Amino acid sequence: MSDGEHALVDTKGKFVQVVSDGRKRNDIEWLPGRILLSNKRLVLATNDGKRTIPLSKVSSVTASQMNQPLAQVDSYIKVQAGRNVTLISAKQAEEFQEKLYSTLLDQTVVLVNHPAVKGGVVQDGGWEKGRLKLDGDCINLAIASGTFVELDIDDVGTVEAKEKTIRGDERPLLEVEHTIEGTSVETHISGTPRHVSLIEGLVRQGEQRNIADDVDLSDKETQVLMALYSGISPFKIPDFVDMEIEEVEDVYDRLMEADILEPVRTRREVQLEARGRSIASDAMADQ
């Protein structure tokens, strides 16, 4: 290895290049081999040779749980580098993905607006520089003003990717919904197209895990969800929605069974799951 280069992951797995120089390949065959990741490159080695992908060329990484039974691949990540796209399924999948994202994103400086939205209400904050660091399934953002934002990927409800004029320039933007102390907030993140693309691939994993399937809710259940989403204390919900305490308790039970709420401490104290926040947000938009 060259000066300053050090190994991060050395594992086995399968891989296949599906796009070569911008052209989709038809002769797709998963190849077993060795997967080596350093702080500077990704090496995919077989008995017939090896292919090297410089990390500086990687522009996006996305994960998929799509089953590929013929190749005995349960999950893989898609790595785009320039005009080439490669699918990689590592045996030490979690460690490999975590190290890859960390190497690509740690210490990246981005623009952050937090909280841009709180409890469904747009806030007056502006854009500040923030330094990003990954810690397992958490994105930690240290903002210049001293604020520290911990964005748990498993807590991500929805993600919106947009283009917006920020500080006088048209920039890519991610609007990421999550929670802070039980309250729904949106953290907006902007930066270079490459960095935003990499962050999007990471946070969309949380969105996909918590995607809101079609759920048949009653009017009362929807009212309770919207009230919680707006930041109303669970203890004040009965008065806020004009329902008896026992009736609200029954609603809580049904929503917890549907993985829309989770209990916090006492039976009457609950908070929205990411799936529940997604449903509540859609319901409020329909009002």
Side-chain angles (χ1 to χ4, degrees), residues 10 16 40 55 75 93 99 107 145 159 171 201 222 233 279-280:
D10 185 348
V16 57
K40 293 188 177 181
L55 295 186
S75 63
K99 291 291 187 182
Q107 304 306 315
S145 62
V159 179
R171 301 174 187 264
T222 301
S233 166
I279 295 170

Side-chain angles (χ1 to χ4, degrees), residues 70-271:
L70 295 179
Q72 298 180 338
V73 173
D74 294 324
S75 63
Y76 59 83
I77 61 171
K78 180 171 71 174
V79 177
Q80 180 168 351
R83 290 163 55 83
N84 299 320
V85 177
T86 304
L87 309 184
I88 303 172
S89 178
K91 285 192 175 181
Q92 294 173 274
E94 188 174 333
E95 179 188 3
F96 172 67
Q97 181 175 306
E98 181 181 323
K99 291 291 187 182
L100 178 59
Y101 270 117
S102 294
T103 305
L104 291 167
L105 287 173
D106 268 359
Q107 304 306 315
T108 296
V109 175
V110 293
L111 290 174
V112 182
N113 182 357
H114 173 86
V117 180
K118 184 175 182 179
V121 180
V122 176
Q123 304 297 296
D124 295 329
W127 291 93
E128 300 180 82
K129 286 186 178 180
R131 191 173 295 276
L132 184 152
K133 184 171 177 57
L134 298 183
D135 182 10
D137 277 342
C138 282
I139 297 175
N140 296 323
L141 293 166
I143 301 176
S145 62
T147 304
F148 182 81
V149 180
E150 186 178 87
L151 202 165
D152 187 344
I153 295 166
D154 283 333
D155 183 49
V156 171
T158 58
V159 179
E160 293 285 343
K162 299 179 178 180
E163 293 279 337
K164 186 176 180 180
T165 301
I166 300 170
R167 292 188 171 181
D169 294 319
E170 192 77 6
R171 301 174 187 264
L173 161 70
L174 292 177
E175 299 179 351
V176 185
E177 189 275 342
H178 58 114
T179 60
I180 298 292
E181 297 180 349
T183 299
S184 171
V185 300
E186 283 186 16
T187 296
H188 293 181
I189 303 171
S190 184
T192 67
R194 176 175 181 262
H195 288 150
V196 171
S197 176
L198 289 167
I199 297 168
E200 180 179 2
L202 187 56
V203 295
R204 283 205 185 276
Q205 293 183 43
E207 180 189 46
Q208 290 301 313
R209 294 170 198 163
N210 299 312
I211 193 166
D213 301 323
D214 290 335
V215 180
D216 188 14
L217 298 179
S218 68
D219 289 342
K220 290 182 178 179
E221 289 168 344
T222 301
Q223 288 179 42
V224 170
L225 270 185
M226 290 192 294
L228 288 169
Y229 185 79
S230 299
I232 305 300
S233 166
F235 297 103
K236 297 180 180 179
I237 291 294
D239 290 336
F240 188 82
V241 298
D242 194 24
M243 293 166 58
E244 296 295 328
I245 293 175
E246 292 78 9
E247 197 173 8
V248 172
E249 293 266 351
D250 289 340
V251 169
Y252 286 166
D253 287 339
R254 290 194 296 273
L255 295 178
M256 283 189 283
E257 287 175 5
D259 293 328
I260 293 171
L261 294 182
E262 63 175 345
V264 180
R265 288 189 290 273
T266 63
R267 189 168 184 266
R268 288 187 59 220
E269 187 171 358
V270 295
Q271 68 181 23

